[in-house]
Amino acid sequence: MYDFLIAPFVEFGFMQRALAGSLLLSLGACPVGVFLMLRRMSLTGDAMAHAILPGAAAGFLLFGLQIVPMTIGGLVAGAIVAIGAGAISRFTVQREDASMAAFYLISLALGVLIVSLRGSSVDLMHVLFGTVLALSNDALTLIALISAITLVVLAIFWRAVVAECLDPLFLRSVSRLGPPVHFIFLGLVVLNLVGGFQALGTLLSVGLMILPAAAARFWTARVGPMCAIAVVIGIASCVAGLLMSYHAALPSGPAIILSAGAIYLLSTIFGTRGIFNTRVRHHRHRTA
């Protein structure tokens, strides 16, 4: 048992860095995923994950696989897409989901094209799927900073973020925080996707944000506990995925996301609000 569960994280530095980066990502990204889900913006998160690709690719084109230029590029590209999609939805007849989908398709194609101009297929795979087993100390520092910023901002604006999720019209009627909180939240989404990009790439970073949140929804209806459960599920997924990657020689990023997917499927069946318990309660209600 020790050799299977603990020894890989004790004996190898790259596994320790991968575990630390994954845990830090779970702390910041999973609560943000809960609010994305409650806002019915889960697919928006996926679109935003691809929106950072052109900026990160531009950083790669100019400076190679260096963290700071790719991070700055990703932040700038994500901010442009978030503001652009929001502006189009506010000043035209097109809804935000449609404008986000348009930006998503353009960003994905542009990012792949930029990477292909200079890099090889290996570089493209690195950008799209990440290399969690090759996280450097600089990447860990960046991920830790993003997680800390996320937790602090959520703590400060918790009530406003929850109110904006559940009843945005009420928040706008009693406070002027509605629009600012919306863009602050989108900023947190972009930040965490940029952090996840370092470990899981642009295609998979949103998975650690959404799947644990979706699974947590089957265990509780309260926002606070839902965020805590999502973090626990995210951590468990990361540990399980890294162990699968180590012992079975699987790609680490997909292994982590598939672990989260397995927990999601189990939650849909056995969660307190899942299929099994819902049918049991329904049966008891009919026979009562």
Side-chain angles (χ1 to χ4, degrees), residues 158-173:
W158 177 264
R159 292 171 63 89
V161 172
V162 172
E164 219 252 334
C165 281
L166 302 179
D167 194 343
L169 294 179
F170 171 76
L171 178 63
R172 292 175 187 175
S173 66

Side-chain angles (χ1 to χ4, degrees), residues 146-197:
I146 289 173
S147 297
I149 292 173
T150 300
L151 294 177
V152 169
V153 171
L154 285 179
I156 294 173
F157 295 100
W158 177 264
R159 292 171 63 89
V161 172
V162 172
E164 219 252 334
C165 281
L166 302 179
D167 194 343
L169 294 179
F170 171 76
L171 178 63
R172 292 175 187 175
S173 66
V174 300
S175 173
R176 297 180 179 179
L177 287 176
V181 165
H182 179 72
F183 285 104
I184 288 172
F185 176 73
L186 287 180
L188 291 181
V189 173
V190 173
L191 267 179
N192 281 274
L193 289 174
V194 168
F197 158 77

Side-chain angles (χ1 to χ4, degrees), residues 42-206:
S42 299
L43 292 179
T44 299
D46 184 55
M48 291 300 299
H50 296 83
I52 68 175
L53 180 57
F60 166 78
L61 183 66
L62 296 174
F63 300 97
L65 293 172
Q66 296 187 29
I67 291 177
V68 174
M70 293 179 71
T71 299
I72 294 175
L75 287 173
V76 171
I80 291 174
V81 169
I83 295 172
I88 289 175
S89 66
R90 287 177 181 271
F91 298 112
T92 69
V93 297
Q94 193 169 69
R95 295 180 59 180
E96 189 172 19
D97 59 339
S99 58
M100 191 69 74
F103 276 103
Y104 149 71
L105 294 170
I106 295 170
S107 299
L108 181 60
L110 181 61
V112 172
L113 179 63
I114 292 174
V115 174
S116 300
L117 289 177
R118 172 175 173 175
S120 64
S121 60
V122 175
D123 296 321
L124 182 60
M125 293 291 287
H126 171 85
V127 173
L128 293 178
F129 297 103
T131 52
V132 66
L133 294 180
L135 286 177
S136 64
N137 291 331
D138 291 338
L140 285 178
T141 301
L142 173 67
I143 294 171
L145 180 62
I146 289 173
S147 297
I149 292 173
T150 300
L151 294 177
V152 169
V153 171
L154 285 179
I156 294 173
F157 295 100
W158 177 264
R159 292 171 63 89
V161 172
V162 172
E164 219 252 334
C165 281
L166 302 179
D167 194 343
L169 294 179
F170 171 76
L171 178 63
R172 292 175 187 175
S173 66
V174 300
S175 173
R176 297 180 179 179
L177 287 176
V181 165
H182 179 72
F183 285 104
I184 288 172
F185 176 73
L186 287 180
L188 291 181
V189 173
V190 173
L191 267 179
N192 281 274
L193 289 174
V194 168
F197 158 77
Q198 303 295 335
L200 300 172
T202 57
L203 293 185
L204 295 178
S205 59
V206 72

Side-chain angles (χ1 to χ4, degrees), residues 30-31 34 158 216 220 222-235:
C30 292
V34 168
W158 177 264
T220 182
R222 299 176 59 192
V223 178
M226 196 181 300
C227 289
I229 293 172
V231 170
V232 172
I233 293 174
I235 291 173

